[in-house]
Amino acid sequence: MNTSSDCIFCKIVSGQIPSRKVFEDDEILAFHDINPWAPVHFLMIPKTHIVSMAHVGPAHQALIGRMLGLAPRLALEAGAGPYPEGGFRIVTNTGKEGGQEVHHLHFHVMGGPRPWLRG
Ligand code: AMP
Ligand code: ZN
């Protein structure tokens, strides 16, 4: 697995920084965002250090597909309402102009009753 020693999400994967876990398997970790914008707001990350969506290529297709395929179930389990009245939003900030602050690929999954703080 690729890791970066100064990456906070790699430290969450290794347990050096604590997180409130939503889901974990051998390749994927999901944990609650520390600064939620919505009643439900968790992050899904690959355990391996991929910098951003701009660094994703054909070799990552299966992993990205698994992450997105898992998101609906985790959103419901975390408290998002069912479609169509409920639902959720998946956001991936990429690069400076894309608003990315943590440079380890992550999908924000947000849901729950509105209004939200942001988003
Ligand atoms: P982004 O701007 O897309 O890079 O978002 C980074 C997200 O990571 C923000 O929503 C932060 O609140 C969240 N975050 C930063 N540090 C932690 C942490 N230790 N545990 C959980 N979420 C975090
Ligand atoms: Zn990392």
Side-chain angles (χ1 to χ4, degrees):
M1 188 163 332
N2 193 19
T3 61
S4 169
S5 55
D6 58 357
C7 169
I8 61 168
F9 287 177
C10 283
K11 287 181 180 160
I12 286 177
V13 170
S14 70
Q16 285 174 268
I17 294 177
S19 68
R20 286 173 54 224
K21 277 177 198 169
V22 170
F23 174 86
E24 179 169 21
D25 70 10
D26 55 335
E27 286 188 312
I28 298 167
L29 180 66
F31 53 95
H32 292 282
D33 196 293
I34 207 166
N35 195 207
W37 306 353
V40 172
H41 186 173
F42 61 88
L43 305 174
M44 298 185 74
I45 68 170
K47 286 189 169 178
T48 194
H49 183 80
I50 300 170
V51 174
S52 81
M53 204 57 209
H55 298 73
V56 165
H60 306 108
Q61 273 179 17
L63 172 61
I64 301 299
R66 287 191 58 235
M67 290 173 73
L68 288 174
L70 200 56
R73 192 192 100 204
L74 299 187
L76 284 176
E77 287 175 3
Y83 183 91
E85 294 302 322
F88 51 85
R89 173 175 287 182
I90 300 176
V91 172
T92 310
N93 299 325
T94 306
K96 194 172 179 184
E97 291 181 344
Q100 184 177 8
E101 285 175 5
V102 176
H103 294 270
H104 179 132
L105 175 65
H106 52 282
F107 296 144
H108 295 258
V109 182
M110 291 164 281
R114 287 181 179 271
W116 295 356
L117 217 54
R118 289 167 67 187

